[in-house]
Amino acid sequence: MIDAGHPKFKPFTSQTMKNAPQWSLLDAEHREAIEIVSRVLPFRVNSHVLDGLIDWSDVPDDPIYRLTFPHRSMLRVEEYAALRGLIRAGARENEIEAIVRRIRMRMNPHPAGQTTDNVPELNGAPLHGLQHKYRETVLFFPSAGQSCHAYCTFCFRWPQFVGMDELKFDARTSDGLVAYLRQNPSITDVLITGGDPLVMSARVLAKYIEPLLAPDLEHVQNIRIGTKSVAYWPQRFVTDPDADELLRLFEKVVASGRNLALMGHYNHPREIQHPIAQQAVRRIISAGASLRIQAPLIRHVNEDPADWAELWTTAVRLGAVPYYMFVERDTGPREYFRLPLARAYEIFRAAYRAVSGLARTVRGPSMSAHPGKVVVDGVVELHGEKVFALQFLQARNPDFVRRPFYAKFDPDATWLDELVPAFGENRFFFERDARRSPVLDSPLLARSRLPVAWMDA
Ligand SMILES: *Cc1c(COP(=O)(O)O)cnc(C)c1O
Ligand code: SF4
């Protein structure tokens, strides 16, 4: 499949976007938005996104444009005006940096607990590049996989892409991971995440993965890779110079008796309808790997249930498995993207109703909150009170999983921490967890958020 005529991966950033042929299609307002907003939030696209995914006749409303390009309303009106004013007046770089930093801090760059919660220890020392939140699955962040083929404007990992994360949240080798796995036989799944681990070459990825195939790590049954490359750069599996080598690596994992599961991030059916994206899915599956698909629900991008139904049915037809619909988490330009939980539930249900049982493997809308992944099961009336029915699909405390609980219906609530218990109770059952400190047990703080990716699954 290697052919000199195939496009080579090349990113465009706010500095180089002017060289893209599509620059001439943007009016002054949108060019300015790119210049101003990308001072605060990361911006990166590539030729596949520009030429193959965005419908330029529909810009700025096009969903893939909204997904990847900065928009002025991602900043508050006064923030945009202040930043624009400084840049237009030719202010000094340190003045601009000061306001950029203020805006970033306002955007909740480090939701509660990121630096300390979930970081496991090996012989008393914290293990960088690992997160262990749910008993059976450990997250691994290889340092060479901390960028992406394009950036999603809603991504909660934005602080790391703009170089704001002082905390080194990545690992140079898998030595620490392997040692940790040896000590923790209850771990069945390793989830390699980023960024996007598939920005790495097959050779570098193999250095991380091959040590996990050791015979004494038999308990590691599933090696998962969270990736958006299936949508943003499907060439990764088809025409990149090491596409075949990557598939051979997948085969090697499968030959060791394990499951190589790609957790593919698709936000919109158009991403999987592109011919090369379909070829990518077929090649992944014919290597013996499995492909599950998941994405957050994002206003302006995928709020139409018909788009979800189409995404799921196309995936199933190609042999992939719908997995999660996530609720957008509480960081970055969230005011621009978020949708109320009640609306998320309606969108999920309308899409779910429209597909066959084979696509109903999908679960959602799910919030990756501090105590676990909480799904909105429905809106019901109980004892004369309108309530949300909720449950944990995944929980820090395994005993919480699949226990129904109820919150007062609130048409505007967008996250678990905005919900209050139904029936006049003053706490949710999981807030009585004995491991909590008295301070954390205050109802407000107890529902603090943890930055766990929608993509982490
Ligand atoms: C979602 C998630 C997982 C995987 O959960 P599954 O339900 O098994 O897919 C693991 N770790 C973290 C931190 C997660 O957010
Ligand atoms: S959502 Fe995934 S692909 Fe998009 S920017 Fe974030 S880590 Fe990268």
Side-chain angles (χ1 to χ4, degrees):
M1 299 299 277
I2 301 161
D3 177 333
H6 290 309
K8 210 172 150 293
F9 177 73
K10 185 175 152 225
F12 290 95
T13 65
S14 56
Q15 262 91 62
T16 56
M17 187 54 210
K18 290 175 189 63
N19 307 326
Q22 287 86 357
W23 183 251
S24 64
L25 302 175
L26 290 168
D27 62 22
E29 183 196 335
H30 293 103
R31 289 180 184 184
E32 181 187 88
I34 295 170
E35 181 192 351
I36 309 284
V37 179
S38 69
R39 287 290 190 137
V40 179
L41 296 166
F43 169 61
R44 183 182 223 200
V45 289
N46 65 57
S47 57
H48 180 69
V49 173
L50 294 177
D51 305 338
L53 296 183
I54 293 174
D55 172 0
W56 289 90
S57 69
D58 195 24
V59 166
D61 294 325
D62 178 77
I64 311 292
Y65 182 85
R66 292 280 185 159
L67 176 65
T68 51
F69 275 78
H71 193 279
R72 63 181 298 159
S73 47
M74 288 174 186
L75 304 186
R76 291 181 179 164
V77 174
E78 66 281 8
E79 292 170 342
Y80 190 90
L83 191 52
R84 180 180 183 276
L86 279 181
I87 291 169
R88 288 285 167 268
R92 283 198 318 273
E93 201 51 37
N94 60 353
E95 278 179 78
I96 298 173
E97 274 305 312
I99 179 166
V100 163
R101 186 157 176 89
R102 262 213 310 281
I103 301 171
R104 286 178 178 164
M105 292 314 285
R106 189 273 296 167
M107 287 185 168
N108 193 22
H110 299 111
Q114 176 166 25
T115 51
T116 50
D117 283 18
N118 306 321
V119 175
E121 294 190 347
L122 187 70
N123 309 324
L127 271 169
H128 292 296
L130 289 194
Q131 264 185 36
H132 192 186
K133 180 171 178 182
Y134 305 130
R135 189 179 47 194
E136 66 277 16
T137 305
V138 65
L139 265 49
F140 180 57
F141 299 77
S143 57
Q146 300 309 313
S147 67
C148 308
H149 292 99
Y151 289 140
C152 311
T153 39
F154 63 81
C155 181
F156 79 92
R157 294 198 195 278
W158 63 272
Q160 127 191 359
F161 302 139
V162 297
M164 197 185 182
D165 256 350
E166 291 88 18
L167 180 88
K168 276 281 145 261
F169 215 56
D170 55 15
R172 257 156 252 297
T173 70
S174 47
D175 295 351
L177 171 64
V178 166
Y180 187 69
L181 290 171
R182 289 214 164 98
Q183 292 188 2
N184 291 275
S186 64
I187 297 172
T188 55
D189 291 37
V190 172
L191 169 44
I192 304 172
T193 182
D196 191 327
L198 294 186
V199 298
M200 289 190 270
S201 68
R203 193 178 51 79
V204 172
L205 187 63
K207 281 206 185 120
Y208 285 111
I209 289 183
E210 279 168 1
L212 307 179
L213 309 182
D216 66 331
L217 294 180
E218 220 170 35
H219 57 287
V220 178
Q221 299 166 24
N222 303 300
I223 296 181
R224 308 195 206 180
I225 301 175
T227 186
K228 173 96 196 163
S229 60
V230 284
Y232 278 164
W233 192 249
Q235 289 81 351
R236 184 73 198 85
F237 306 91
V238 186
T239 55
D240 271 7
D242 64 347
D244 289 349
E245 196 182 335
L246 179 66
L247 296 175
R248 296 298 87 79
L249 175 62
F250 293 177
E251 284 169 1
K252 191 165 178 177
V253 173
V254 174
S256 80
R258 295 172 175 86
N259 175 25
L260 188 287
L262 280 198
M263 313 305 291
H265 172 205
Y266 297 91
N267 293 94
H268 192 274
R270 202 185 293 159
E271 295 169 323
I272 201 171
Q273 280 160 347
H274 195 286
I276 194 158
Q278 303 211 348
Q279 246 180 303
V281 174
R282 294 216 160 86
R283 296 198 90 211
I284 290 163
I285 291 169
S286 46
S290 57
L291 174 62
R292 281 182 179 68
I293 70 161
Q294 57 190 22
L297 172 65
I298 309 281
R299 188 157 68 97
H300 304 299
V301 174
N302 56 18
E303 42 186 318
D304 183 348
D307 285 338
W308 285 93
E310 190 162 342
L311 172 61
W312 297 335
T313 27
T314 309
V316 166
R317 183 166 57 74
L318 297 169
V321 182
Y323 195 53
Y324 276 125
M325 175 201 273
F326 290 112
V327 177
E328 165 60 357
R329 48 184 323 124
D330 184 15
T331 175
R334 187 173 178 250
E335 294 155 34
Y336 174 80
F337 286 123
R338 72 181 155 193
L339 285 163
L341 294 172
R343 178 101 189 88
Y345 164 66
E346 279 165 19
I347 294 167
F348 179 85
R349 183 163 171 262
Y352 193 87
R353 255 193 335 239
V355 299
S356 98
L358 289 182
R360 290 185 188 168
T361 48
V362 68
R363 295 162 305 160
S366 169
M367 291 172 269
S368 291
H370 187 267
K373 282 186 168 68
V374 176
V375 68
V376 181
D377 267 333
V379 177
V380 284
E381 210 170 296
L382 283 175
H383 310 306
E385 188 177 332
K386 195 173 179 187
V387 299
F388 282 118
L390 305 146
Q391 60 174 314
F392 285 95
L393 295 175
Q394 188 55 281
R396 199 177 278 285
N397 179 344
D399 188 45
F400 292 173
V401 173
R402 289 282 175 178
R403 269 210 232 167
F405 66 99
Y406 301 92
K408 247 193 200 132
F409 179 75
D410 174 350
D412 302 318
T414 60
W415 198 255
L416 186 62
D417 63 353
E418 293 161 21
L419 297 179
V420 296
F423 317 127
E425 286 171 24
N426 58 11
R427 285 174 187 188
F428 291 116
F429 80 91
F430 54 89
E431 292 175 321
R432 292 188 204 102
D433 186 347
R435 287 175 304 173
R436 286 196 179 285
S437 73
V439 179
L440 278 176
D441 227 2
S442 92
L444 260 181
L445 284 174
R447 287 172 227 135
S448 62
R449 302 150 298 273
L450 189 88
V452 173
W454 52 266
M455 198 177 117
D456 282 349

